[in-house]
Amino acid sequence: MPGVDVLGWFTFLLRHFARPFLPYKFPGKRVLGFNFDGRPHMLAKGISRFFDAKGAVYACELARLAYELIGKSDGHLMRRLECIYDEILIDEVQDLSSHDWEIVDALMASRIDIHMVGDIRQSVLATNPRSSKNKRYAYAEVINWFRDRESRSILTISESATTWRCSPEIAAFSDTIFDPAWSFPITNSKNSKVTGHDGVYLLRSEHLTEYMEAFNPKCLRNSAASGTRFVLDFLNFKLAKGLTYERVLIVPTDAISKFLQKGILLEPGPAASFYVAVTRAAQSVAILLDKPDSSLLPYWHPGDKKG
């Protein structure tokens, strides 16, 4: 579409920060590549902090470099950006981290209209997961970054709590995953489909084969270390982000099991991962758990009605 640029976050920082303004910090130097996986030596200083031996900028240091270039450019970087864009929309904003938030602060202080869209409850990825910068806003904790700036009238939060994917039962269960103290809004489901097997169920391992034959759900686990005793075609929670399946089967971690059995709240990171797994399903979620303890979720049995 004319007049619209669609860029990934790293591409945005490379194109409008690092490449045109690097000489303000390192005269005579150019960006010769992008090193996504590499990291600088712990004690690296100067240009070796940001670039490998081939002149490629480290992905993990790109936001820090971009932010420092804002200051080094004596205002030229932001003025150039204001001449290029009237409006910037940032999608999946919950995935930003570290120095990214310093850049967003700078953007909001500019003449550019900034709009951000994201689901804080799906904060399972990060642009720089190992950085200690702005660690207090890591993953789901980023809601505090937004609430702090709203309290100072820097931005306005507009919450959308409607899902067209998840059945009402799944939506209601997903709302219980985070501590109520987070004050997330109640989800409103617009999925009115009825299949005869809808909602969230517990499943004993002895009934796994029958359940798989009856419903053929997508099987999700937290990591390769989860569910090793089951021979299933698994997808990890984080890799399932953004996908939709009619039915999913989840192998819980110990923490998820304790949440279901005893109501022990999950930490923000594990809660977000579990939330992503649960909300991949449109109609049904089955969670493998042999001992319910105090869980009120119903068990599925082979004699139950099949969808």
Side-chain angles (χ1 to χ4, degrees), residues 63-280:
R64 177 181 172 183
L65 174 63
Y67 177 64
E68 291 186 7
L69 290 174
I70 294 174
K72 289 288 186 180
S73 70
D74 194 26
H76 294 299
L77 189 155
M78 294 307 298
R79 282 196 291 272
R80 175 181 180 271
L81 209 56
E82 289 170 340
C83 290
I84 297 172
Y85 298 116
D86 297 315
E87 185 176 19
I88 293 177
L89 290 81
I90 306 174
D91 194 16
E92 301 289 358
V93 70
Q94 75 277 356
D95 295 340
L96 299 185
S97 64
S98 187
H99 284 83
D100 295 334
W101 296 115
E102 309 297 324
I103 294 170
V104 175
D105 273 328
L107 290 172
M108 289 194 300
S110 73
R111 294 182 298 172
I112 305 169
D113 289 332
I114 306 298
H115 301 272
M116 294 173 276
V117 180
D119 186 347
I120 303 304
R121 291 173 292 188
Q122 295 192 48
S123 299
V124 296
L125 303 175
T127 52
N128 190 0
R130 294 170 62 179
S131 175
S132 60
K133 180 68 175 180
N134 285 319
K135 202 70 173 180
R136 66 189 183 281
Y137 299 132
Y139 299 102
E141 303 274 6
V142 73
I143 188 62
N144 297 319
W145 186 92
F146 285 95
R147 288 172 175 168
D148 170 71
R149 279 144 185 81
E150 185 179 51
S151 71
R152 292 188 277 142
S153 300
I154 296 173
L155 55 77
T156 300
I157 298 173
S158 177
E159 295 181 325
S160 175
T162 300
T163 177
W164 295 88
R165 173 195 290 140
C166 301
S167 69
E169 300 90 344
I170 295 173
F173 176 75
S174 73
D175 286 341
T176 70
I177 293 174
F178 282 88
D179 186 333
W182 289 83
S183 299
F184 288 127
I186 296 173
T187 305
N188 175 35
S189 171
K190 294 292 187 180
N191 176 356
S192 59
K193 183 178 178 181
V194 177
T195 69
H197 181 63
D198 306 297
V200 183
Y201 300 84
L202 299 180
L203 179 68
R204 291 188 172 88
S205 54
E206 64 184 289
H207 298 146
L208 176 59
T209 299
E210 290 93 336
Y211 190 86
M212 293 298 297
E213 292 174 351
F215 300 109
N216 190 31
K218 184 61 183 179
C219 302
L220 304 178
R221 63 183 179 187
N222 184 59
S223 68
S226 305
T228 54
R229 66 191 181 101
F230 302 107
V231 182
L232 299 168
D233 182 17
F234 282 113
L235 185 65
N236 289 357
F237 292 170
K238 292 181 181 180
L239 296 179
K241 184 172 178 282
L243 302 177
T244 299
Y245 302 97
E246 183 172 49
R247 310 186 187 283
V248 303
L249 181 143
I250 295 173
V251 175
T253 61
D254 288 343
I256 292 172
S257 295
K258 291 176 181 177
F259 165 71
L260 296 169
Q261 295 167 327
K262 306 178 186 301
I264 299 174
L265 293 171
L266 294 162
E267 292 295 317
S273 293
F274 186 42
Y275 178 88
V276 166
V278 167
T279 56
R280 294 315 88 202

